[in-house]
Amino acid sequence: MKQYDVVIAGGAMVGACLAIALDELTQHQLHIAVVEAVAADQHGHPGYDARSIALSHGSSRLLDAIQLWPALAKVATAIEHIHVSDRGHAGMVELSAQQLAVDALGYVIELADAGKIFHHQLATRPQIDLFCPAKVEHIERTQAEALVRLNTGKRLRTKLVVAADGATSHCCDLLHIGRDEHDFEQVAVIANITTAKPHQGQAFERFTKYGPVALLPMAQGRSSLVWCIEPQQQARIMALSDAQFLVELQAVFGWRLGALTVVGERHCYPLILRQSQRLVSHRTAVIGNAAQTLHPIAGQGFNLGLRDVMTLAEEIAAGVQRGADIGLPTVLGRYRERRLPDRQATVSMTAGLVSLFANDNPALVAGRNLGLMTMSLSNTLQAPLLRRAMGQVKR
């Protein structure tokens, strides 16, 4: 039975970030295990089959603090402009990095590229052991420690277990940490798109009758599509030929990037807000999508999860410095207290935007368009939304 200070269930971006942040912030004092079910694809996912993630400006600064940003920056596409509009109505907001005096409003990174960087980091840090492919099968907690059994038969002893294993966290289920769910009654269609006009670092979010459609700039002139549709449309949309799909998407998105010319492999998933009922339990902390899974309307999911990561890592590092047991409430309670306000504000903002923009009530349509037009003229009204969108949020 191997002894660790921290065992992290989940080795995707959030879990890997936590392991690296702990290693950096404690100056390599902790022995860390990362348990990941899916082996990294060393060949990546070339071209149109790769999914992407949006990083806020604030997230790039957090990643820089743990020495990850220099490598990620090489595979990141900068978002230099954001264009927000309401289909069929006059309301519109345009934001630019130049106007805000920053290098970029955010960045888009393909998950395959990020995965290679994170797995290289995990493999080359002596204090981190990666168990992959492997799953946490059983957790037993005593007063003094937690005992973790993997499906490979390996057993690990630790002071702290961190659940970073996604929206339907098996780790949380094992620990009887419940989750609340709200079905948005929308499905997100994900694909990569090529357009006739170059995107020039522009991101678009367009609100439609049934939900938002977003295009984010990617490498090689492509854009990453998130198209929210009604569940009853899913089978029909997914069955369309590529040419038919592009015609329907063009009608919804418009011609701001010219003709939509190529679409890659399509994926879809239901949009459900999930929140764990607790962020901490005895010798346990919950982070990332295991803690909360958001609607993609404002691109906040990973950015909120990264703020979980950095806050937990800071509190653990502070606990190590003062010689505290990092699995006890003196450390974990501070993580919970710091995260709850940001978590609630971000969940409320994203859910509120869904309610406001996925609604065809004439009074709401008029009100939101007036709001968009007013925001386009007023820096004061833009500021709160911008701060959260750019990740400039108190942790």
Side-chain angles (χ1 to χ4, degrees):
M1 189 179 289
K2 296 193 74 172
Q3 177 74 51
Y4 292 93
D5 297 294
V6 182
V7 171
I8 302 169
M13 284 184 71
V14 165
C17 273
L18 178 63
I20 295 160
L22 288 172
D23 195 42
E24 284 290 325
L25 297 186
T26 65
Q27 298 182 312
H28 323 296
Q29 291 182 63
L30 297 181
H31 199 190
I32 302 158
V34 178
V35 183
E36 170 53 35
V38 182
D41 182 356
Q42 296 305 310
H43 304 293
H45 303 279
Y48 292 99
D49 297 339
R51 290 177 299 142
S52 298
I53 196 159
L55 290 178
S56 68
H57 176 79
S59 289
S60 70
R61 305 280 65 81
L62 293 178
L63 291 165
D64 201 34
I66 55 173
Q67 315 305 317
L68 275 173
W69 184 241
L72 288 168
K74 294 175 184 174
V75 297
T77 301
I79 300 174
E80 297 174 15
H81 306 272
I82 297 177
H83 184 282
V84 182
S85 61
D86 197 1
R87 182 172 178 254
H89 302 284
M92 188 177 73
V93 174
E94 290 188 273
L95 309 168
S96 76
Q98 185 178 11
Q99 139 198 6
L100 296 167
V102 292
D103 293 337
L105 297 169
Y107 302 87
V108 180
I109 297 178
E110 292 185 49
L111 288 176
D113 291 334
K116 291 175 189 175
I117 291 166
F118 282 111
H119 275 265
H120 174 73
Q121 286 276 341
L122 295 180
T124 55
R125 288 178 179 257
Q127 291 299 97
I128 300 174
D129 290 343
L130 176 62
F131 295 88
C132 180
K135 295 180 182 179
V136 173
E137 194 171 69
H138 181 75
I139 302 170
E140 179 186 342
R141 291 175 291 177
T142 68
Q143 184 62 33
E145 63 185 359
L147 309 173
V148 179
R149 187 176 75 236
L150 307 185
N151 64 339
T152 59
K154 285 189 164 52
R155 295 190 298 163
L156 317 176
R157 300 171 64 174
T158 185
K159 291 294 183 185
L160 175 64
V161 176
V162 180
D165 53 343
T168 55
S169 167
H170 180 58
C171 197
C172 284
D173 292 342
L174 290 173
L175 295 166
H176 306 292
I177 297 174
R179 67 181 70 90
D180 298 318
E181 296 190 353
H182 169 71
D183 191 340
F184 289 112
E185 298 181 351
Q186 292 179 358
V187 172
V189 179
I190 309 297
N192 292 333
I193 303 287
T194 294
T195 57
K197 292 182 182 177
H199 57 62
Q200 296 183 312
Q202 290 186 92
F204 295 87
E205 183 141 37
R206 191 156 174 73
F207 297 108
T208 77
K209 181 178 179 180
Y210 301 116
V213 56
L215 280 178
L216 303 178
M218 293 174 64
Q220 299 163 16
R222 298 164 299 154
S223 292
S224 174
L225 169 71
V226 181
W227 183 10
C228 300
I229 60 174
E230 293 180 296
Q232 53 266 40
Q233 292 291 322
Q234 176 181 337
R236 185 186 68 80
I237 293 287
M238 294 302 286
L240 293 173
S241 69
D242 286 354
Q244 292 168 326
F245 179 84
L246 288 170
V247 167
E248 292 219 10
L249 178 60
Q250 189 92 61
V252 171
F253 176 72
W255 294 84
R256 293 183 186 280
L257 289 176
L260 309 179
T261 58
V262 181
V263 58
E265 184 178 346
R266 285 169 256 162
H267 302 272
C268 65
Y269 59 92
L271 296 178
I272 298 171
L273 170 64
R274 295 184 174 95
Q275 295 183 83
S276 65
Q277 292 171 351
R278 286 177 286 167
L279 289 180
V280 301
S281 181
H282 179 59
R283 299 204 173 276
T284 307
V286 187
I287 62 172
N289 279 351
Q292 62 275 314
T293 308
L294 307 182
H295 190 287
I297 191 167
Q300 290 296 302
F302 175 71
N303 299 296
L304 183 61
L306 183 59
R307 298 199 291 272
D308 291 345
V309 164
M310 293 303 293
T311 305
L312 180 59
E314 288 165 2
E315 291 303 330
I316 289 173
V320 168
Q321 194 168 23
R322 62 178 185 266
D325 183 336
I326 61 173
L328 293 183
T330 48
V331 172
L332 299 183
R334 281 284 301 142
Y335 162 68
R336 181 189 61 229
E337 288 167 19
R338 288 179 62 189
R339 291 308 302 139
L340 284 175
D342 178 23
R343 180 200 205 204
Q344 192 51 52
T346 306
V347 167
S348 296
M349 179 194 78
T350 55
L353 285 172
V354 175
S355 299
L356 178 61
F357 283 97
N359 193 312
D360 234 21
N361 179 295
L364 272 180
V365 170
R368 74 194 184 209
N369 274 273
L370 179 61
L372 285 174
M373 287 188 285
T374 306
M375 279 183 66
S376 70
L377 300 171
S378 168
N379 290 336
T380 305
L381 288 176
Q382 282 182 14
L385 184 62
L386 262 178
R387 279 197 297 271
R388 194 156 294 279
M390 292 181 65
Q392 295 170 337
V393 179
K394 183 181 178 183
R395 290 185 292 112

